[in-house]
Amino acid sequence: MPSDKSKSSGFDDWAHTLLTELEQQTPEAIRKQRTNERHEIRCGVTVRPGNASDSHKPAVEAVTGDVSSGGCQVMSSQPLCVGDVYKLEFEKGELDLPAIYARCLRCRLVREDAFESGFAFFTPVKLEEMKAADSIMDSLI
């Protein structure tokens, strides 16, 4: 039977490795790892729990910061649970997307009443229409 010391040592090694990885995650390093082009779009989004057992919980109103075919960044006034699945319902207008299920990958406190969260979509979305809209906006500027 392993001693408590060997269990502790394994956890300490794991925690140290994890902290080292986190220290290396600079904004530039994260951008290099992205596989999808990001589009800066401000759009209202309703964030609802994605599983039936949490359907009684209230929805959270948020605003997108950017969107890609594989995920999005949102700002909300309430924290979202990392690892949980949510149903994202985008406001019709600039984004004409159906409701999308996504996993919350991160949530960080920006200030006392603002949280930034990152989501990964379970099913990639097609953003060709948005690219066309982006090029029209660029030509107007």
Side-chain angles (χ1 to χ4, degrees), residues 43-113:
C43 172
V45 60
T46 302
V47 182
R48 299 184 189 283
N51 53 353
S53 62
D54 288 332
S55 62
H56 65 281
K57 292 183 179 177
V60 174
E61 296 299 322
V63 175
T64 60
D66 63 41
V67 179
S68 73
S69 61
C72 66
Q73 171 196 43
V74 303
M75 294 292 292
S76 63
S77 62
Q78 297 173 0
L80 300 169
C81 294
V82 175
D84 280 5
V85 174
Y86 291 92
K87 181 179 180 182
L88 307 179
E89 298 171 348
F90 297 93
E91 209 173 75
K92 299 298 178 197
E94 188 159 357
L95 275 179
D96 192 21
L97 295 174
I100 298 171
Y101 285 89
R103 178 177 305 281
C104 182
L105 300 178
R106 70 176 182 278
C107 182
R108 69 182 179 102
L109 177 70
V110 177
R111 59 175 201 249
E112 289 303 314
D113 61 344

Short mmCIF file of all heavy atoms in Angstrom, two decimals, residues 43-113:
data_model
loop_
_atom_site.label_atom_id
_atom_site.label_comp_id
_atom_site.label_asym_id
_atom_site.label_seq_id
_atom_site.Cartn_x
_atom_site.Cartn_y
_atom_site.Cartn_z
N CYS A 43 -22.35 41.13 -29.91
CA CYS A 43 -23.70 40.60 -30.12
C CYS A 43 -24.21 40.09 -28.78
O CYS A 43 -23.47 39.45 -28.03
CB CYS A 43 -23.63 39.47 -31.14
SG CYS A 43 -25.15 38.56 -31.36
N GLY A 44 -25.46 40.34 -28.47
CA GLY A 44 -26.06 39.80 -27.26
C GLY A 44 -26.19 38.30 -27.35
O GLY A 44 -26.44 37.74 -28.42
N VAL A 45 -25.99 37.62 -26.23
CA VAL A 45 -26.13 36.17 -26.19
C VAL A 45 -26.72 35.78 -24.83
O VAL A 45 -26.36 36.33 -23.80
CB VAL A 45 -24.77 35.45 -26.44
CG1 VAL A 45 -23.74 35.82 -25.41
CG2 VAL A 45 -24.94 33.95 -26.49
N THR A 46 -27.69 34.87 -24.88
CA THR A 46 -28.27 34.32 -23.67
C THR A 46 -27.60 32.99 -23.41
O THR A 46 -27.57 32.12 -24.28
CB THR A 46 -29.80 34.14 -23.83
OG1 THR A 46 -30.37 35.41 -24.14
CG2 THR A 46 -30.41 33.61 -22.55
N VAL A 47 -27.04 32.84 -22.22
CA VAL A 47 -26.32 31.63 -21.84
C VAL A 47 -27.21 30.84 -20.89
O VAL A 47 -27.52 31.28 -19.79
CB VAL A 47 -24.98 31.98 -21.17
CG1 VAL A 47 -24.21 30.72 -20.82
CG2 VAL A 47 -24.15 32.90 -22.06
N ARG A 48 -27.64 29.65 -21.33
CA ARG A 48 -28.52 28.79 -20.53
C ARG A 48 -27.79 27.49 -20.19
O ARG A 48 -26.96 27.03 -20.98
CB ARG A 48 -29.78 28.43 -21.31
CG ARG A 48 -30.62 29.62 -21.69
CD ARG A 48 -31.92 29.16 -22.39
NE ARG A 48 -32.63 30.28 -22.95
CZ ARG A 48 -33.36 31.14 -22.26
NH1 ARG A 48 -33.47 30.98 -20.96
NH2 ARG A 48 -33.97 32.14 -22.85
N PRO A 49 -28.11 26.89 -19.04
CA PRO A 49 -27.52 25.58 -18.74
C PRO A 49 -27.86 24.59 -19.86
O PRO A 49 -28.98 24.60 -20.39
CB PRO A 49 -28.20 25.17 -17.43
CG PRO A 49 -28.63 26.46 -16.81
CD PRO A 49 -28.98 27.36 -17.97
N GLY A 50 -26.90 23.75 -20.22
CA GLY A 50 -27.09 22.85 -21.35
C GLY A 50 -27.62 21.47 -20.99
O GLY A 50 -27.93 20.69 -21.86
N ASN A 51 -27.73 21.17 -19.70
CA ASN A 51 -28.23 19.84 -19.34
C ASN A 51 -29.56 19.95 -18.61
O ASN A 51 -29.85 20.96 -17.98
CB ASN A 51 -27.20 19.07 -18.50
CG ASN A 51 -26.74 19.86 -17.30
OD1 ASN A 51 -27.08 21.01 -17.14
ND2 ASN A 51 -25.97 19.21 -16.45
N ALA A 52 -30.35 18.92 -18.70
CA ALA A 52 -31.71 18.93 -18.16
C ALA A 52 -31.73 19.12 -16.64
O ALA A 52 -32.63 19.79 -16.11
CB ALA A 52 -32.42 17.64 -18.53
N SER A 53 -30.75 18.60 -15.93
CA SER A 53 -30.77 18.70 -14.47
C SER A 53 -30.54 20.13 -13.97
O SER A 53 -30.85 20.44 -12.82
CB SER A 53 -29.74 17.76 -13.85
OG SER A 53 -28.44 18.12 -14.26
N ASP A 54 -30.01 21.00 -14.82
CA ASP A 54 -29.79 22.40 -14.44
C ASP A 54 -30.74 23.36 -15.14
O ASP A 54 -30.57 24.57 -15.05
CB ASP A 54 -28.35 22.81 -14.75
CG ASP A 54 -27.35 22.19 -13.80
OD1 ASP A 54 -27.74 21.90 -12.65
OD2 ASP A 54 -26.18 22.02 -14.19
N SER A 55 -31.75 22.84 -15.82
CA SER A 55 -32.64 23.70 -16.61
C SER A 55 -33.42 24.69 -15.75
O SER A 55 -33.90 25.70 -16.25
CB SER A 55 -33.61 22.86 -17.44
OG SER A 55 -34.44 22.09 -16.59
N HIS A 56 -33.53 24.44 -14.45
CA HIS A 56 -34.23 25.35 -13.55
C HIS A 56 -33.39 26.59 -13.21
O HIS A 56 -33.92 27.58 -12.72
CB HIS A 56 -34.61 24.62 -12.26
CG HIS A 56 -33.43 24.20 -11.46
ND1 HIS A 56 -32.68 23.08 -11.78
CD2 HIS A 56 -32.84 24.75 -10.38
CE1 HIS A 56 -31.68 22.97 -10.91
NE2 HIS A 56 -31.76 23.97 -10.04
N LYS A 57 -32.10 26.53 -13.47
CA LYS A 57 -31.23 27.67 -13.15
C LYS A 57 -31.49 28.81 -14.12
O LYS A 57 -31.81 28.57 -15.30
CB LYS A 57 -29.76 27.25 -13.22
CG LYS A 57 -29.37 26.28 -12.13
CD LYS A 57 -27.90 25.94 -12.20
CE LYS A 57 -27.51 24.98 -11.09
NZ LYS A 57 -26.09 24.59 -11.20
N PRO A 58 -31.36 30.05 -13.66
CA PRO A 58 -31.65 31.19 -14.55
C PRO A 58 -30.60 31.35 -15.65
O PRO A 58 -29.44 30.96 -15.48
CB PRO A 58 -31.61 32.39 -13.60
CG PRO A 58 -30.77 31.95 -12.45
CD PRO A 58 -30.97 30.48 -12.32
N ALA A 59 -31.03 31.92 -16.75
CA ALA A 59 -30.13 32.22 -17.86
C ALA A 59 -29.28 33.44 -17.49
O ALA A 59 -29.66 34.25 -16.65
CB ALA A 59 -30.93 32.51 -19.12
N VAL A 60 -28.14 33.55 -18.14
CA VAL A 60 -27.23 34.68 -17.94
C VAL A 60 -27.16 35.46 -19.25
O VAL A 60 -26.95 34.88 -20.31
CB VAL A 60 -25.82 34.18 -17.54
CG1 VAL A 60 -24.83 35.33 -17.47
CG2 VAL A 60 -25.87 33.42 -16.23
N GLU A 61 -27.37 36.76 -19.16
CA GLU A 61 -27.26 37.62 -20.34
C GLU A 61 -25.80 38.03 -20.49
O GLU A 61 -25.14 38.39 -19.52
CB GLU A 61 -28.15 38.85 -20.22
CG GLU A 61 -29.63 38.52 -20.17
CD GLU A 61 -30.14 37.80 -21.42
OE1 GLU A 61 -29.70 38.14 -22.54
OE2 GLU A 61 -30.97 36.88 -21.27
N ALA A 62 -25.29 37.98 -21.72
CA ALA A 62 -23.89 38.28 -21.98
C ALA A 62 -23.75 38.97 -23.33
O ALA A 62 -24.73 39.14 -24.06
CB ALA A 62 -23.07 36.99 -21.94
N VAL A 63 -22.52 39.36 -23.64
CA VAL A 63 -22.20 40.00 -24.92
C VAL A 63 -20.95 39.32 -25.46
O VAL A 63 -19.99 39.08 -24.71
CB VAL A 63 -21.93 41.51 -24.73
CG1 VAL A 63 -21.49 42.14 -26.03
CG2 VAL A 63 -23.16 42.20 -24.18
N THR A 64 -20.93 39.01 -26.75
CA THR A 64 -19.75 38.39 -27.34
C THR A 64 -18.64 39.41 -27.48
O THR A 64 -18.88 40.60 -27.69
CB THR A 64 -20.05 37.79 -28.73
OG1 THR A 64 -20.48 38.82 -29.60
CG2 THR A 64 -21.09 36.69 -28.65
N GLY A 65 -17.41 38.92 -27.37
CA GLY A 65 -16.23 39.74 -27.65
C GLY A 65 -15.68 39.37 -29.00
O GLY A 65 -15.35 40.21 -29.82
N ASP A 66 -15.59 38.06 -29.24
CA ASP A 66 -15.21 37.57 -30.56
C ASP A 66 -15.84 36.21 -30.77
O ASP A 66 -16.28 35.54 -29.83
CB ASP A 66 -13.69 37.53 -30.75
CG ASP A 66 -12.97 36.58 -29.80
OD1 ASP A 66 -13.47 35.46 -29.56
OD2 ASP A 66 -11.90 36.95 -29.31
N VAL A 67 -15.90 35.82 -32.05
CA VAL A 67 -16.52 34.55 -32.44
C VAL A 67 -15.66 33.92 -33.52
O VAL A 67 -15.14 34.62 -34.39
CB VAL A 67 -17.96 34.77 -32.98
CG1 VAL A 67 -18.59 33.45 -33.40
CG2 VAL A 67 -18.83 35.47 -31.96
N SER A 68 -15.50 32.61 -33.46
CA SER A 68 -14.84 31.87 -34.53
C SER A 68 -15.72 30.67 -34.86
O SER A 68 -16.73 30.46 -34.20
CB SER A 68 -13.45 31.41 -34.10
OG SER A 68 -13.54 30.34 -33.18
N SER A 69 -15.32 29.90 -35.84
CA SER A 69 -16.13 28.73 -36.18
C SER A 69 -16.10 27.68 -35.07
O SER A 69 -16.97 26.84 -34.99
CB SER A 69 -15.67 28.13 -37.50
OG SER A 69 -14.33 27.70 -37.40
N GLY A 70 -15.10 27.74 -34.19
CA GLY A 70 -14.97 26.74 -33.14
C GLY A 70 -15.34 27.18 -31.74
O GLY A 70 -15.39 26.37 -30.82
N GLY A 71 -15.63 28.49 -31.55
CA GLY A 71 -15.96 28.95 -30.21
C GLY A 71 -16.15 30.45 -30.13
O GLY A 71 -16.18 31.13 -31.15
N CYS A 72 -16.27 30.96 -28.91
CA CYS A 72 -16.47 32.39 -28.74
C CYS A 72 -16.01 32.84 -27.36
O CYS A 72 -15.80 32.03 -26.47
CB CYS A 72 -17.93 32.78 -28.96
SG CYS A 72 -19.07 32.13 -27.74
N GLN A 73 -15.87 34.13 -27.24
CA GLN A 73 -15.55 34.78 -25.97
C GLN A 73 -16.76 35.63 -25.61
O GLN A 73 -17.32 36.31 -26.47
CB GLN A 73 -14.33 35.68 -26.15
CG GLN A 73 -14.04 36.55 -24.95
CD GLN A 73 -13.09 37.68 -25.30
OE1 GLN A 73 -13.22 38.32 -26.33
NE2 GLN A 73 -12.14 37.93 -24.42
N VAL A 74 -17.17 35.59 -24.34
CA VAL A 74 -18.30 36.41 -23.89
C VAL A 74 -17.95 37.15 -22.60
O VAL A 74 -17.10 36.71 -21.83
CB VAL A 74 -19.60 35.59 -23.69
CG1 VAL A 74 -19.99 34.85 -24.95
CG2 VAL A 74 -19.48 34.63 -22.53
N MET A 75 -18.62 38.27 -22.40
CA MET A 75 -18.53 39.03 -21.15
C MET A 75 -19.89 38.97 -20.50
O MET A 75 -20.91 39.18 -21.16
CB MET A 75 -18.16 40.49 -21.44
CG MET A 75 -16.77 40.68 -22.03
SD MET A 75 -15.45 40.30 -20.88
CE MET A 75 -15.64 41.61 -19.71
N SER A 76 -19.90 38.68 -19.19
CA SER A 76 -21.17 38.62 -18.46
C SER A 76 -20.99 39.24 -17.07
O SER A 76 -19.87 39.47 -16.63
CB SER A 76 -21.62 37.15 -18.32
OG SER A 76 -20.68 36.42 -17.56
N SER A 77 -22.11 39.50 -16.42
CA SER A 77 -22.05 40.08 -15.07
C SER A 77 -22.02 39.00 -13.99
O SER A 77 -21.92 39.30 -12.82
CB SER A 77 -23.24 41.01 -14.85
OG SER A 77 -24.44 40.28 -14.95
N GLN A 78 -22.13 37.74 -14.41
CA GLN A 78 -22.09 36.61 -13.47
C GLN A 78 -21.06 35.59 -13.94
O GLN A 78 -20.90 35.40 -15.15
CB GLN A 78 -23.46 35.94 -13.40
CG GLN A 78 -24.55 36.84 -12.89
CD GLN A 78 -25.91 36.17 -12.99
OE1 GLN A 78 -26.03 35.04 -13.44
NE2 GLN A 78 -26.95 36.87 -12.59
N PRO A 79 -20.40 34.91 -13.01
CA PRO A 79 -19.43 33.90 -13.43
C PRO A 79 -20.13 32.66 -13.98
O PRO A 79 -21.23 32.32 -13.55
CB PRO A 79 -18.68 33.58 -12.14
CG PRO A 79 -19.64 33.91 -11.05
CD PRO A 79 -20.47 35.07 -11.56
N LEU A 80 -19.49 32.01 -14.93
CA LEU A 80 -19.98 30.76 -15.49
C LEU A 80 -19.05 29.65 -15.05
O LEU A 80 -17.86 29.88 -14.80
CB LEU A 80 -20.05 30.86 -17.01
CG LEU A 80 -20.97 31.99 -17.50
CD1 LEU A 80 -20.79 32.24 -18.99
CD2 LEU A 80 -22.41 31.66 -17.19
N CYS A 81 -19.55 28.44 -14.93
CA CYS A 81 -18.78 27.33 -14.39
C CYS A 81 -17.93 26.66 -15.47
O CYS A 81 -18.46 26.16 -16.47
CB CYS A 81 -19.70 26.29 -13.76
SG CYS A 81 -20.54 26.92 -12.29
N VAL A 82 -16.63 26.67 -15.24
CA VAL A 82 -15.69 26.05 -16.17
C VAL A 82 -15.95 24.55 -16.21
O VAL A 82 -16.14 23.91 -15.18
CB VAL A 82 -14.24 26.34 -15.74
CG1 VAL A 82 -13.25 25.60 -16.63
CG2 VAL A 82 -13.98 27.84 -15.76
N GLY A 83 -15.99 24.01 -17.42
CA GLY A 83 -16.25 22.58 -17.62
C GLY A 83 -17.70 22.26 -17.87
O GLY A 83 -18.01 21.21 -18.41
N ASP A 84 -18.61 23.17 -17.51
CA ASP A 84 -20.04 22.93 -17.72
C ASP A 84 -20.42 23.16 -19.18
O ASP A 84 -19.75 23.91 -19.91
CB ASP A 84 -20.89 23.83 -16.83
CG ASP A 84 -20.99 23.31 -15.41
OD1 ASP A 84 -20.33 22.30 -15.08
OD2 ASP A 84 -21.73 23.92 -14.61
N VAL A 85 -21.51 22.54 -19.58
CA VAL A 85 -22.05 22.70 -20.93
C VAL A 85 -23.18 23.71 -20.87
O VAL A 85 -24.02 23.69 -19.97
CB VAL A 85 -22.57 21.35 -21.47
CG1 VAL A 85 -23.26 21.53 -22.81
CG2 VAL A 85 -21.42 20.36 -21.57
N TYR A 86 -23.19 24.62 -21.85
CA TYR A 86 -24.21 25.66 -21.92
C TYR A 86 -24.82 25.68 -23.32
O TYR A 86 -24.20 25.27 -24.29
CB TYR A 86 -23.60 27.04 -21.62
CG TYR A 86 -23.18 27.21 -20.19
CD1 TYR A 86 -21.88 26.92 -19.79
CD2 TYR A 86 -24.08 27.64 -19.22
CE1 TYR A 86 -21.49 27.07 -18.47
CE2 TYR A 86 -23.69 27.79 -17.90
CZ TYR A 86 -22.40 27.51 -17.53
OH TYR A 86 -22.02 27.65 -16.22
N LYS A 87 -26.03 26.20 -23.37
CA LYS A 87 -26.72 26.44 -24.64
C LYS A 87 -26.63 27.95 -24.88
O LYS A 87 -27.13 28.74 -24.09
CB LYS A 87 -28.18 26.00 -24.55
CG LYS A 87 -28.97 26.19 -25.81
CD LYS A 87 -30.40 25.69 -25.61
CE LYS A 87 -31.24 25.87 -26.84
NZ LYS A 87 -32.62 25.42 -26.60
N LEU A 88 -25.97 28.35 -25.97
CA LEU A 88 -25.80 29.76 -26.30
C LEU A 88 -26.82 30.15 -27.36
O LEU A 88 -26.89 29.53 -28.43
CB LEU A 88 -24.38 30.01 -26.82
CG LEU A 88 -23.24 29.53 -25.93
CD1 LEU A 88 -21.90 29.82 -26.58
CD2 LEU A 88 -23.32 30.17 -24.57
N GLU A 89 -27.61 31.17 -27.05
CA GLU A 89 -28.62 31.68 -27.99
C GLU A 89 -28.23 33.10 -28.37
O GLU A 89 -28.32 34.02 -27.55
CB GLU A 89 -30.01 31.64 -27.34
CG GLU A 89 -30.44 30.22 -26.99
CD GLU A 89 -31.72 30.17 -26.16
OE1 GLU A 89 -32.17 31.23 -25.66
OE2 GLU A 89 -32.26 29.07 -26.00
N PHE A 90 -27.78 33.27 -29.61
CA PHE A 90 -27.30 34.57 -30.08
C PHE A 90 -28.45 35.44 -30.54
O PHE A 90 -29.40 34.96 -31.17
CB PHE A 90 -26.31 34.37 -31.23
CG PHE A 90 -25.08 33.63 -30.80
CD1 PHE A 90 -24.99 32.26 -30.94
CD2 PHE A 90 -24.01 34.31 -30.22
CE1 PHE A 90 -23.86 31.57 -30.53
CE2 PHE A 90 -22.88 33.64 -29.82
CZ PHE A 90 -22.80 32.26 -29.97
N GLU A 91 -28.34 36.73 -30.23
CA GLU A 91 -29.33 37.71 -30.66
C GLU A 91 -29.32 37.77 -32.18
O GLU A 91 -28.26 37.78 -32.81
CB GLU A 91 -28.88 39.08 -30.10
CG GLU A 91 -29.97 40.05 -29.83
CD GLU A 91 -29.39 41.27 -29.13
OE1 GLU A 91 -28.74 42.08 -29.82
OE2 GLU A 91 -29.58 41.39 -27.91
N LYS A 92 -30.48 37.80 -32.78
CA LYS A 92 -30.55 37.88 -34.24
C LYS A 92 -30.12 39.26 -34.69
O LYS A 92 -30.33 40.25 -34.02
CB LYS A 92 -31.97 37.59 -34.75
CG LYS A 92 -32.47 36.21 -34.39
CD LYS A 92 -31.62 35.13 -35.03
CE LYS A 92 -32.10 33.76 -34.63
NZ LYS A 92 -31.14 32.73 -34.87
N GLY A 93 -29.46 39.32 -35.80
CA GLY A 93 -28.95 40.60 -36.31
C GLY A 93 -27.63 40.35 -36.98
O GLY A 93 -27.55 39.71 -38.01
N GLU A 94 -26.56 40.81 -36.33
CA GLU A 94 -25.23 40.64 -36.93
C GLU A 94 -24.83 39.18 -37.01
O GLU A 94 -24.21 38.75 -37.96
CB GLU A 94 -24.19 41.42 -36.12
CG GLU A 94 -22.86 41.44 -36.80
CD GLU A 94 -21.97 42.58 -36.34
OE1 GLU A 94 -22.42 43.39 -35.52
OE2 GLU A 94 -20.85 42.65 -36.81
N LEU A 95 -25.20 38.39 -36.01
CA LEU A 95 -24.96 36.95 -36.04
C LEU A 95 -26.29 36.25 -36.24
O LEU A 95 -27.19 36.38 -35.43
CB LEU A 95 -24.37 36.48 -34.71
CG LEU A 95 -22.89 36.59 -34.51
CD1 LEU A 95 -22.53 36.09 -33.12
CD2 LEU A 95 -22.13 35.82 -35.54
N ASP A 96 -26.39 35.50 -37.30
CA ASP A 96 -27.62 34.76 -37.55
C ASP A 96 -27.31 33.28 -37.35
O ASP A 96 -27.30 32.50 -38.29
CB ASP A 96 -28.14 35.04 -38.96
CG ASP A 96 -29.55 34.53 -39.15
OD1 ASP A 96 -30.26 34.34 -38.14
OD2 ASP A 96 -29.95 34.32 -40.31
N LEU A 97 -27.03 32.93 -36.09
CA LEU A 97 -26.67 31.56 -35.77
C LEU A 97 -27.78 30.89 -34.97
O LEU A 97 -28.46 31.54 -34.18
CB LEU A 97 -25.40 31.54 -34.92
CG LEU A 97 -24.12 32.04 -35.58
CD1 LEU A 97 -22.99 32.10 -34.55
CD2 LEU A 97 -23.72 31.14 -36.74
N PRO A 98 -27.95 29.58 -35.15
CA PRO A 98 -28.92 28.87 -34.31
C PRO A 98 -28.36 28.73 -32.90
O PRO A 98 -27.20 29.04 -32.65
CB PRO A 98 -29.01 27.50 -35.00
CG PRO A 98 -27.67 27.33 -35.64
CD PRO A 98 -27.25 28.70 -36.07
N ALA A 99 -29.16 28.22 -31.98
CA ALA A 99 -28.67 27.94 -30.63
C ALA A 99 -27.55 26.90 -30.75
O ALA A 99 -27.64 25.95 -31.54
CB ALA A 99 -29.79 27.41 -29.76
N ILE A 100 -26.48 27.11 -29.98
CA ILE A 100 -25.30 26.26 -30.07
C ILE A 100 -24.95 25.75 -28.68
O ILE A 100 -24.96 26.52 -27.72
CB ILE A 100 -24.11 27.07 -30.63
CG1 ILE A 100 -24.41 27.56 -32.03
CG2 ILE A 100 -22.83 26.24 -30.62
CD1 ILE A 100 -23.39 28.53 -32.56
N TYR A 101 -24.61 24.47 -28.59
CA TYR A 101 -24.13 23.92 -27.33
C TYR A 101 -22.61 24.06 -27.29
O TYR A 101 -21.93 23.81 -28.29
CB TYR A 101 -24.53 22.45 -27.18
CG TYR A 101 -26.00 22.31 -26.84
CD1 TYR A 101 -26.96 22.22 -27.83
CD2 TYR A 101 -26.41 22.31 -25.51
CE1 TYR A 101 -28.31 22.12 -27.52
CE2 TYR A 101 -27.75 22.21 -25.19
CZ TYR A 101 -28.69 22.12 -26.19
OH TYR A 101 -30.02 22.03 -25.88
N ALA A 102 -22.11 24.49 -26.12
CA ALA A 102 -20.68 24.74 -25.98
C ALA A 102 -20.23 24.44 -24.56
O ALA A 102 -21.02 24.51 -23.62
CB ALA A 102 -20.37 26.19 -26.32
N ARG A 103 -18.96 24.12 -24.42
CA ARG A 103 -18.37 23.89 -23.10
C ARG A 103 -17.61 25.14 -22.69
O ARG A 103 -16.88 25.73 -23.49
CB ARG A 103 -17.41 22.71 -23.14
CG ARG A 103 -16.73 22.47 -21.78
CD ARG A 103 -15.83 21.25 -21.78
NE ARG A 103 -16.49 20.04 -22.20
CZ ARG A 103 -17.31 19.29 -21.44
NH1 ARG A 103 -17.57 19.65 -20.21
NH2 ARG A 103 -17.84 18.19 -21.91
N CYS A 104 -17.78 25.55 -21.45
CA CYS A 104 -17.05 26.69 -20.90
C CYS A 104 -15.63 26.25 -20.58
O CYS A 104 -15.43 25.35 -19.77
CB CYS A 104 -17.76 27.22 -19.65
SG CYS A 104 -16.95 28.68 -18.96
N LEU A 105 -14.65 26.85 -21.26
CA LEU A 105 -13.25 26.47 -21.07
C LEU A 105 -12.54 27.31 -20.02
O LEU A 105 -11.56 26.89 -19.43
CB LEU A 105 -12.48 26.62 -22.39
CG LEU A 105 -12.98 25.77 -23.55
CD1 LEU A 105 -12.15 26.06 -24.79
CD2 LEU A 105 -12.94 24.30 -23.20
N ARG A 106 -13.03 28.54 -19.82
CA ARG A 106 -12.40 29.42 -18.83
C ARG A 106 -13.40 30.48 -18.40
O ARG A 106 -14.32 30.81 -19.12
CB ARG A 106 -11.15 30.08 -19.39
CG ARG A 106 -11.43 31.11 -20.47
CD ARG A 106 -10.19 31.83 -20.96
NE ARG A 106 -10.59 32.83 -21.93
CZ ARG A 106 -10.84 32.59 -23.21
NH1 ARG A 106 -10.71 31.35 -23.67
NH2 ARG A 106 -11.22 33.54 -24.02
N CYS A 107 -13.17 31.00 -17.23
CA CYS A 107 -13.94 32.14 -16.73
C CYS A 107 -13.02 32.90 -15.80
O CYS A 107 -12.45 32.32 -14.87
CB CYS A 107 -15.20 31.68 -16.00
SG CYS A 107 -16.21 33.06 -15.41
N ARG A 108 -12.85 34.18 -16.06
CA ARG A 108 -11.98 34.97 -15.20
C ARG A 108 -12.64 36.27 -14.80
O ARG A 108 -13.43 36.84 -15.56
CB ARG A 108 -10.63 35.23 -15.85
CG ARG A 108 -10.68 36.16 -17.03
CD ARG A 108 -9.29 36.33 -17.65
NE ARG A 108 -9.39 37.21 -18.79
CZ ARG A 108 -9.03 38.49 -18.78
NH1 ARG A 108 -8.52 39.02 -17.70
NH2 ARG A 108 -9.18 39.23 -19.86
N LEU A 109 -12.32 36.71 -13.61
CA LEU A 109 -12.83 37.96 -13.08
C LEU A 109 -12.08 39.11 -13.75
O LEU A 109 -10.86 39.17 -13.69
CB LEU A 109 -12.62 38.00 -11.57
CG LEU A 109 -13.04 39.26 -10.84
CD1 LEU A 109 -14.56 39.38 -10.83
CD2 LEU A 109 -12.52 39.25 -9.41
N VAL A 110 -12.83 40.01 -14.40
CA VAL A 110 -12.23 41.18 -15.04
C VAL A 110 -12.29 42.36 -14.08
O VAL A 110 -11.35 43.11 -13.92
CB VAL A 110 -12.94 41.51 -16.37
CG1 VAL A 110 -12.38 42.77 -17.00
CG2 VAL A 110 -12.83 40.33 -17.33
N ARG A 111 -13.44 42.50 -13.46
CA ARG A 111 -13.64 43.45 -12.36
C ARG A 111 -14.81 42.91 -11.54
O ARG A 111 -15.36 41.87 -11.87
CB ARG A 111 -13.87 44.88 -12.87
CG ARG A 111 -15.04 45.06 -13.78
CD ARG A 111 -15.23 46.53 -14.12
NE ARG A 111 -16.58 46.70 -14.54
CZ ARG A 111 -16.95 47.00 -15.78
NH1 ARG A 111 -16.06 47.20 -16.70
NH2 ARG A 111 -18.22 47.11 -16.08
N GLU A 112 -15.17 43.60 -10.47
CA GLU A 112 -16.17 43.06 -9.53
C GLU A 112 -17.49 42.65 -10.19
O GLU A 112 -18.15 41.75 -9.74
CB GLU A 112 -16.44 44.06 -8.41
CG GLU A 112 -15.29 44.21 -7.45
CD GLU A 112 -14.88 42.89 -6.80
OE1 GLU A 112 -15.76 42.13 -6.35
OE2 GLU A 112 -13.67 42.62 -6.74
N ASP A 113 -17.87 43.31 -11.26
CA ASP A 113 -19.17 43.02 -11.89
C ASP A 113 -19.03 42.53 -13.33
O ASP A 113 -19.99 42.61 -14.11
CB ASP A 113 -20.06 44.26 -11.85
CG ASP A 113 -19.45 45.43 -12.60
OD1 ASP A 113 -18.25 45.40 -12.90
OD2 ASP A 113 -20.20 46.39 -12.90
#
